[in-house]
Amino acid sequence: MRLLDRYLLRELLGPFSYCLSGFLILFIAFDVLDELSDLQKLRLHASDILEYYAVKTPEFVVTIMPVAFLLALLYTLTHLARHHEITAIRAAGVSLIRLALPYAMVGFVLSLVVFAINELWAPQSSERADDIRHRYQAGTPAEKQVWEPKLVFVSGRESRNWFIEAFHKDKFLMQGVHVDTLEADGSRMKLTAERGWWETNTWVFTNVHIGDVAPGGLETGSRQYATLAVPEFTETPEQIRSEIKMKKINNLRDVRHAQLSVKEILNYQRLHPGGTRKDSMLETKLHGRLAAPWTCLVVVVIALPFGAASGRRNVVVGVASSILICFTYVMLGQLALGLGVGDILPGWLAAWAPNGLFAAVGVALTLRVR
């Protein structure tokens, strides 16, 4: 790495660490003020509230990361421009694009970090936070919160209907299982079991009764088993958990607040290859999950002309510019999300349009910088 690159990175990383930690503290503080009365009504103790915000931190980080990076980058570029350092660097033969390369590298790394948090931690942290909120619901420890009652889902790929009295979301246990499978010849296999669990990638059931039903509806035979492993049931616990999450998504507000990983959305789509009424919402959410992390890279493109061209402006201009850019981006993103969920725009276009538009504007403005 060249000496210039190290210098530019050093100038950026200090403000970025301050902005990220400052925004995180403010974000948590405002959320505490908004949620404190509700948390008290749910009878959470101080230790529970601390745990609640500890597990919600990944969700906060992915929200504020692009904003903190934009503010830090605009501050850094404006500071360098005010002291004519950018002019000196360019006079030495370094182009504006080459000057921005270390910042683009940081944006690329942050994009990967945001994607990893969204995919690996944020969905689980959202579930965990919800469990903590209802830990003392009805005045008792909420062990029942990990059980999903009366679960019904259809595996369109396998033509199989599942009816489960209770499903343990962490241990993958089932109570009161009824599975109806439509065979290729039109016959049905109906399985009823007292309990079931996931073991070595196979569903295992106890106290099993299997009835074979002919295409006309006449039962042609039945079997009883004390314990039975059924490898033919290819539905995985992760797919069932995805089904549980999708049941709670019915409108734009639900889509906006749902913490769904790409894997969970794909699991749901595999269970329903024929499609459902939620297709447009999930397609928009899927592409939104893929597009959102790259905002950190788009930030570099849009900040470069605003910061590098501000030689005689006050640093406050950089802050004001970042606020305006963030507000415009959020409004455009929410509008595009609504159009995608409403099936007015294709999901991929609604998700990628804000990034594409801001990147195009940033490139056009950068080419005009003298």
Side-chain angles (χ1 to χ4, degrees), residues 1-140:
M1 185 180 293
R2 293 173 54 181
L3 179 63
L4 175 62
D5 295 330
R6 291 199 296 269
Y7 174 72
L8 293 175
L9 288 176
R10 187 171 65 248
E11 290 294 302
L12 170 68
L13 295 181
F16 176 63
S17 61
Y18 296 141
C19 289
L20 184 61
S21 57
F23 275 123
L24 183 59
I25 292 172
L26 286 174
F27 214 94
I28 293 176
F30 281 115
D31 197 76
V32 169
L33 293 176
D34 184 54
E35 294 248 27
L36 188 57
S37 60
D38 292 335
L39 296 177
Q40 289 175 334
K41 291 177 183 177
L42 293 169
R43 305 182 184 182
L44 295 186
H45 307 304
S47 59
D48 299 318
I49 295 176
L50 289 175
E51 183 184 0
Y52 174 74
Y53 281 101
V55 301
K56 284 194 72 174
T57 297
E59 183 180 340
F60 293 151
V61 169
V62 297
T63 302
I64 65 177
M65 183 84 79
V67 180
F69 184 46
L70 175 62
L71 179 58
L73 189 56
L74 281 172
Y75 173 85
T76 301
L77 290 172
T78 304
H79 180 77
L80 292 173
R82 287 185 67 240
H83 292 85
H84 306 291
E85 292 180 79
I86 291 181
T87 302
I89 292 171
R90 297 185 66 187
V94 179
S95 68
L96 194 59
I97 302 301
R98 176 60 185 86
L99 182 149
L101 183 59
Y103 299 141
M105 292 173 57
V106 174
F108 179 76
V109 171
L110 291 180
S111 295
L112 295 181
V113 170
V114 170
F115 180 81
I117 294 176
N118 267 336
E119 190 68 14
L120 302 176
W121 291 292
Q124 290 76 14
S125 69
S126 179
E127 290 182 4
R128 177 61 180 154
D130 190 59
D131 291 340
I132 294 172
R133 284 179 64 94
H134 300 93
R135 177 173 287 171
Y136 305 108
Q137 196 172 43
T140 59

Side-chain angles (χ1 to χ4, degrees), residues 4 38 50 62 111 131 172 219 221 225 248 255 272 274 297 306 316 319 324 328 358 362 369-370:
L4 175 62
D38 292 335
L50 289 175
V62 297
S111 295
D131 291 340
F172 308 140
E219 185 169 327
Y225 301 93
K248 303 175 182 178
V255 172
H272 306 278
L297 196 56
F306 279 90
V316 176
V319 178
L324 177 61
T328 305
F358 272 72
V369 174
R370 295 287 184 265

Side-chain angles (χ1 to χ4, degrees), residues 12 27 30 116 139 143 184 230 245 249 267 300 304 336 339 347 370:
L12 170 68
F27 214 94
F30 281 115
E143 168 63 22
V230 188
K245 277 192 172 184
I249 299 177
N267 278 335
V300 179
L304 192 61
L339 294 176
R370 295 287 184 265

Side-chain angles (χ1 to χ4, degrees), residues 16 18 51 113 139 170 238 265 302 312 324-326 329 335:
F16 176 63
Y18 296 141
E51 183 184 0
V113 170
D170 294 335
E238 288 75 17
I265 297 175
I302 197 67
R312 296 184 178 180
L324 177 61
I325 294 170
C326 289
Y329 181 86
L335 174 62

Side-chain angles (χ1 to χ4, degrees), residues 328-367:
T328 305
Y329 181 86
V330 170
M331 291 297 101
L332 180 61
Q334 291 301 312
L335 174 62
L337 177 63
L339 294 176
V341 170
D343 208 16
I344 299 174
L345 288 179
W348 64 269
L349 180 60
W352 290 96
N355 282 353
L357 178 61
F358 272 72
V361 171
V363 170
L365 293 177
T366 299
L367 294 176

Side-chain angles (χ1 to χ4, degrees), residues 245-287:
K245 277 192 172 184
M246 300 306 171
K247 286 172 54 181
K248 303 175 182 178
I249 299 177
N250 296 295
N251 51 49
L252 176 60
R253 183 178 182 276
D254 295 336
V255 172
R256 187 167 57 246
H257 290 93
Q259 290 293 339
L260 300 171
S261 67
V262 172
K263 182 179 179 181
E264 288 173 329
I265 297 175
L266 293 177
N267 278 335
Y268 183 82
Q269 291 179 334
R270 291 189 189 102
L271 281 175
H272 306 278
T276 69
R277 64 181 181 84
K278 300 180 181 181
D279 281 356
S280 59
M281 291 188 287
L282 293 181
E283 193 68 17
T284 303
K285 188 68 174 180
L286 173 62
H287 285 283

